[in-house]
């Protein structure tokens, strides 16, 4: 796959200040996903946890459909785009990540999840959705370097860790295809409707999977800490997060919205520092700065400023 030079800036979707603000906020919401999941997995099996996450989030969004007078899809044809989105953006990746977190810590899972922009850029370019320009490729690679610095070099490539990493990598591939699907098939749908309809579809799928494999009715009732984690996962990291996610997709495209996964490890570390009183090391600060530089490279705004000021001419 050839990398094209940046010749056609008018064909590229860019992000304005509002979308950058949304992106940072989304990274905080999704950064909490791994924390909430780690807490809830102590008492709940993976598929049941995913079902609770999706179904509670869907229930939260239902009143918003009525308030905004958004009609439900009609017939199989109307539900099909949301059902496919639910499969590749919720059911498969959420299940893979949660199962992966039974093998690896949440921090490691968030770092693996940061490879999502690579697959999103490649999928979007392979299907002709967005140009694979040199600046974007360089930004992705720089961002991944920042993630490696952020995490450090303490990966234990034992059998359990390898399985966990492979499961989380499978989820990132799913996210790459889901961003493409959202751009092509759901661009005309209001963000609240898109989020709600895919979560409803995903809840039905996960109900079947959880019933077959986990048999949740045979489980002990979780404690209040687990329920708080599930509610945080459903309301903040799912319902609210997906509304913001689809707002960015509609305005700025698939590759831009997936930049959020480069910010998630940063958000996870900052949440740990402010909420759990965890220590921030020097390499984590350096990694965050490298990731920030990667976002500037991919956005291209700095280069345009230099060009306008005559730098390098």
């Amino acid at each position: 796959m050839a990398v094209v030079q940046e010749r056609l800036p008018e064909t590229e979707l860019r992000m304005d200040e509002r979308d950058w603000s949304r992106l940072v906020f989304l990274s905080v919401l999704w950064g909490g996903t791994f924390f909430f999941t780690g807490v809830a997995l102590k008492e709940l099996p993976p598929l049941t946890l995913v079902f609770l996450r999706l179904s509670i989030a869907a229930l939260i969004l239902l009143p918003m459909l009525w308030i905004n007078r958004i009609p439900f899809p009609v017939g199989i044809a109307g539900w099909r785009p949301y059902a496919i989105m639910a499969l590749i953006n919720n059911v498969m990746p959420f299940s893979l990540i949660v199962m992966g977190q039974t093998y690896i810590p949440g921090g490691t899972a968030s770092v693996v999840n940061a490879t999502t922009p690579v697959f999103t850029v490649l999928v979007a370019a392979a299907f002709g959705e967005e140009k694979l320009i040199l600046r974007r490729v360089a930004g992705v690679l720089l961002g991944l370097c920042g993630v490696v610095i952020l995490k450090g070099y303490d990966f234990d490539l034992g059998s359990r860790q390898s399985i966990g990493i492979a499961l989380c990598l499978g989820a990132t591939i799913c996210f790459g295809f889901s961003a493409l699907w959202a751009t092509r098939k759901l661009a005309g749908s209001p963000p609240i409707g898109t989020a709600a309809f895919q979560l409803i579809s995903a809840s039905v799928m996960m109900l079947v999977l959880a019933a077959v494999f986990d048999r949740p009715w045979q489980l002990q009732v979780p404690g209040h800490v687990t329920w708080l984690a599930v509610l945080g996962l459903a309301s903040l990291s799912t319902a609210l997060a997906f509304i913001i996610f689809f707002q960015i997709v509609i305005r700025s495209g698939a590759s831009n919205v997936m930049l959020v996964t480069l910010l998630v490890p940063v958000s996870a570390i900052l949440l740990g520092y402010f909420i759990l009183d965890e220590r921030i090391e020097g390499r984590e600060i350096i990694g965050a700065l490298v990731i920030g530089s990667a976002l500037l490279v991919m956005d291209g705004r700095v280069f345009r400023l230099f060009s306008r000021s005559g730098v390098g001419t």
Side-chain angles (χ1 to χ4, degrees):
M1 188 181 300
V3 177
V4 299
Q5 296 293 332
E6 191 174 1
R7 299 288 187 186
L8 299 172
E10 68 275 11
T11 64
E12 184 187 357
L13 293 172
R14 300 192 185 278
M15 297 179 66
D16 59 21
E17 287 76 8
R18 287 184 298 172
D19 286 328
W20 276 112
S21 299
R22 291 187 180 104
L23 196 76
V24 172
F25 185 43
L26 183 59
S27 74
V28 175
L29 296 175
W30 277 348
T33 297
F34 301 94
F35 169 75
F36 290 136
T37 298
V39 173
L41 279 175
K42 295 178 181 179
E43 293 190 288
L44 291 172
L47 297 180
T48 299
L49 174 57
V50 175
F51 165 69
L52 290 173
R53 173 185 184 179
L54 296 174
S55 59
I56 295 174
L59 291 174
I60 292 172
L61 291 182
L62 282 178
M64 299 183 68
L65 295 177
W66 178 76
I67 293 172
N68 290 276
R69 298 182 179 180
I70 299 175
F72 279 79
V74 178
I76 295 177
W79 279 99
R80 183 181 296 115
Y82 302 104
I84 295 175
M85 186 66 179
L87 181 64
I88 60 178
N89 196 46
N90 297 151
V91 174
M92 293 174 62
F94 286 5
S95 298
L96 289 171
I97 289 175
V98 173
M99 287 189 289
Q101 278 194 248
T102 64
Y103 293 94
I104 58 177
T108 303
S110 70
V111 171
V112 176
N113 188 59
T115 62
T116 298
V118 175
F119 297 105
T120 304
V121 167
L122 294 177
V123 168
F127 285 87
E129 189 68 26
E130 299 179 17
K131 294 290 186 181
L132 190 59
I133 60 176
L134 182 61
R135 169 174 54 77
R136 179 163 288 159
V137 174
V140 168
L141 295 177
L142 181 61
L144 293 178
C145 291
V147 170
V148 172
I149 296 172
L150 192 71
K151 176 60 182 174
Y153 302 93
D154 55 350
F155 285 105
D156 178 14
L157 296 178
S159 59
R160 289 184 59 83
Q161 181 126 359
S162 298
I163 294 173
I165 290 175
L167 289 170
C168 292
L169 279 175
T172 65
I173 297 173
C174 293
F175 286 137
F177 281 98
S178 71
L180 175 67
W181 184 262
T183 302
R184 287 193 170 184
K185 301 296 183 179
L186 302 175
S189 176
I192 294 176
T194 303
F197 300 146
Q198 70 152 347
L199 288 172
I200 292 170
S201 302
S203 299
V204 174
M205 299 179 197
M206 286 308 307
L207 174 62
V208 176
L209 291 175
V212 171
F213 293 102
D214 287 348
R215 298 183 179 181
W217 58 86
Q218 297 180 351
L219 302 174
Q220 292 184 347
V221 177
H224 68 279
V225 173
T226 298
W227 281 115
L228 288 175
V230 170
L231 289 175
L233 189 61
S235 60
L236 300 177
S237 300
T238 308
L240 178 57
F242 273 122
I243 293 175
I244 299 172
F245 171 85
F246 287 115
Q247 287 177 340
I248 302 174
V249 167
I250 291 172
R251 290 170 51 86
S252 301
S255 295
N256 282 328
V257 73
M258 285 309 177
L259 294 177
V260 69
T261 58
L262 292 175
L263 286 171
V264 165
V266 181
S267 299
I269 289 174
L270 291 176
L271 286 172
Y273 176 76
F274 287 110
I275 297 177
L276 302 178
D277 198 26
E278 295 177 346
R279 178 183 176 185
I280 295 181
E281 300 182 8
R283 62 173 173 78
E284 294 171 338
I285 298 176
I286 296 174
L289 292 174
V290 173
I291 290 173
S293 301
L295 297 178
L296 293 176
V297 169
M298 295 188 75
D299 178 59
R301 193 165 304 176
V302 172
F303 300 113
R304 293 196 299 274
L305 290 175
F306 286 153
S307 176
R308 291 170 184 170
S309 62
V311 176
T313 59

